[in-house]
Amino acid sequence: MSENKIESVLREDRVFEPPRSFVEQATFKPDDIQALYDAANSDHEGFWADQAQKHIDWHKPFTQTLDSTDAPFFKWFTDGQLNVSYNCLDRHLDTRGDQTAIIFEADDGEVEHISYRELHARVCRFANALKANGLGKGDRAVIYLPNVPQATIAMLACARIGAIHSVVFGGFSAPSLRDRIDDAEAKMLITADGNYRGGKLIPLKDVADKALSQGCESIDKVIVLKRSGTDVSMQSGRDLWWHDAIDGQAETCEPEWVDAEHPLFILYTSGSTGKPKGIQHSSGGYLLGAIVTCRWVFDLRDDDVFWCTADVGWITGHTYITYGPTACGATQVMFEGVPTYPEPDRFWKMVDTHQVTIFYTAPTAIRALMKHGDEYPQRHALDSLRILGTVGEPINPEAWMWYRQVIGHERCPIVDTWWQTETGGHMITPLPSYSKTKPGSVTHPLPGISAEILDESGKPVTEAGSGGVLVVTKPWPYMLRTIWNDPERYKETYFGMYDAHTYVAGDSAQRDEQGNFRILGRIDDVVNISGHRLGTMEVESALVAHTSVAEAAVVSRPHDVKGEAIVAFVILKTGDGNDELASDLRNWVAEQLGAIAKPEEIRFADGLPKTRSGKIMRRLLRTVARGDEVTQDVSTLENPQILEQLQARGS
């Protein structure tokens, strides 16, 4: 075996055709999608130019499609001018002004319907308030809000006046918030007094005040949404309430027309050095990606009710809550709470209540809800659903099948989407009327996306089942433009491995005999055991396929003989773990994947260390597995006590 390849030992042979009833009613028929692929393959730039002309209302049409002269700093539609807020709101007013844009359900169950006309008025009022308080084109505003409509309103208001927003997830700590404000040199902070999530108070203003007391000298104004009604301190001259800021403001605001390459937002993502990376996205190219991926991947129809369960603080919430659905004129659900409060059927109850047709969530949420059994979804009809989607990390086949059978009743295509903060939108994913799907496979790249798998020397990995480094070999309009204030880091991180035209995703992947892609996990989530390089996701999938296991996370620790050994953290469906079950699980993995993948150690736990967005913090697990002191920031953990439990059980 080549040292440059990643071995894939998990085999999946189940294949599902698109349901005939779905294909017959689809907006995009298989022939329509094939035509998109043919056009993209024959003329990459021309294809994207046609899409941009079709889907965006330009104030000034572009004449140049792609500028690659300063690769990897690619530019798209450079001489065109537009306004993103206009494309999300104004252009819908004549045709669907009275249509519901957002169905908002609060943590406590209260529901609010906001039409496109009302959303436009609220965005304009807040945009005028931002201008009245000194925010203008090119200025940065940090948004630190719960998952409520005002977060989307604040983002669209910034876009309306040409300001650049940077949304910070409402679970981040004061030091994390401070670092992002300082790096962006933000002029304004938009936050809330607090909010309730899962019945628990999140004291946002208190955290914000702590951050502001530790630096943040660039901040001139703080606008505070009254959400929780809790007492907070307000600094005279700096802080003002949202309702006071919009008082008397007009419900119209002329959009600021900006160049297509004008930065729309900065979104910070974790970096290997510990310093967050400010991923910078453009206005024109990013908007195009949000629109076409929404339309193609979710097969959007006028009567759809779309629900992306993400928080706006993450890229998923940017593209598939704030920008994509609104630019497409869709009706969507927005939810403040968590899937298990007050009971583990909250999601399924909401699907029935709001007649959701497209449901898009994370594998971690699916696995967590699986753990509660079939009883909770079976309380609800779920018959409005027509498409299911997953996002955030690879989904193991066992969870995929549960999602298909128990939630989709075997009639809903599953779109398992691979993409990143950096890519801006979907890249590799099934298309619901077109793709044969396989559990755990993201199938094939979208039209206009050129994805490949290379070994570490840059040679294509052509052998079916062999893994390598996932790359994109041609620029695409909705890709990141740079890392804010750090262009050298941008070049080194994303284009330093091969050449200036080859984007390195940081994920490993493999293709099967039919050419379908399967994501094996992050490149740094690869273990090297006796010279064999294995993706940890496969071991996790094998563990979860065992009838006793609800969830698992796999990391490595040093081993004197093998180089590295596999340590598996396992959450059981019921009961406590013991040595006999640990031995059974180790042997089960060996049976499923081969002896090379057999975990050295199984550790049972009540939960895994996850962020409030549901992402497993595997770096922390690696630290625990190696017996090292935890020095990373753990303030974003949903349940910090889990970490203490894992450390105690490993000692």
Side-chain angles (χ1 to χ4, degrees), residues 146-147 192-197 200-204 227-228 336:
N147 205 47
D193 51 357
N195 76 297
Y196 288 92
R197 193 169 183 271
K200 298 175 183 175
L201 175 67
I202 312 294
L204 292 174
R227 177 74 193 146
S228 64
E336 182 181 28

Side-chain angles (χ1 to χ4, degrees), residues 496-510:
M497 193 169 182
Y498 300 111
D499 59 57
H501 285 77
T502 304
Y503 170 84
V504 178
D507 281 335
S508 56
Q510 57 112 219

Side-chain angles (χ1 to χ4, degrees), residues 548-567:
S548 299
V549 177
E551 192 164 16
V554 166
V555 296
S556 67
R557 62 169 168 78
H559 190 279
D560 291 341
V561 177
K562 301 177 183 177
E564 288 184 312
I566 293 173
V567 180

Side-chain angles (χ1 to χ4, degrees), residues 439-613:
S441 171
V442 292
T443 65
H444 40 70
L446 287 174
I449 302 301
S450 302
E452 297 290 345
I453 299 171
L454 305 180
D455 66 19
E456 289 175 1
S457 65
K459 295 177 183 175
V461 175
T462 55
E463 182 184 348
S466 292
V469 178
L470 180 61
V471 301
V472 185
T473 57
K474 291 180 182 178
W476 64 101
Y478 45 105
M479 66 190 296
L480 79 164
R481 294 307 193 255
T482 188
I483 293 175
W484 181 259
N485 280 339
D486 203 344
E488 288 304 313
R489 190 181 183 192
Y490 165 78
K491 286 198 291 185
E492 179 187 341
T493 302
Y494 302 109
F495 296 91
M497 193 169 182
Y498 300 111
D499 59 57
H501 285 77
T502 304
Y503 170 84
V504 178
D507 281 335
S508 56
Q510 57 112 219
R511 266 183 294 219
D512 62 17
E513 291 82 358
Q514 292 76 42
N516 292 310
F517 283 74
R518 187 157 56 83
I519 307 302
L520 303 178
R522 300 296 293 168
I523 292 172
D524 56 9
D525 285 338
V526 170
V527 294
N528 194 326
I529 300 170
S530 303
H532 298 266
R533 301 176 73 234
L534 301 171
T536 56
M537 187 280 292
E538 298 193 286
V539 185
E540 293 173 3
S541 292
L543 284 164
V544 174
H546 191 281
T547 55
S548 299
V549 177
E551 192 164 16
V554 166
V555 296
S556 67
R557 62 169 168 78
H559 190 279
D560 291 341
V561 177
K562 301 177 183 177
E564 288 184 312
I566 293 173
V567 180
F569 294 86
V570 171
I571 290 85
L572 299 174
K573 291 177 179 174
T574 58
D576 298 320
N578 53 49
D579 290 344
E580 183 182 353
L581 181 55
S583 178
D584 286 347
L585 291 175
R586 293 175 69 244
N587 291 330
W588 167 265
V589 173
E591 287 172 21
Q592 300 295 306
L593 303 179
I596 195 68
K598 190 174 184 177
E600 187 80 10
E601 183 183 356
I602 301 278
R603 294 193 192 179
F604 297 104
D606 297 331
L608 296 172
K610 296 179 183 179
T611 65
R612 292 187 180 93
S613 68

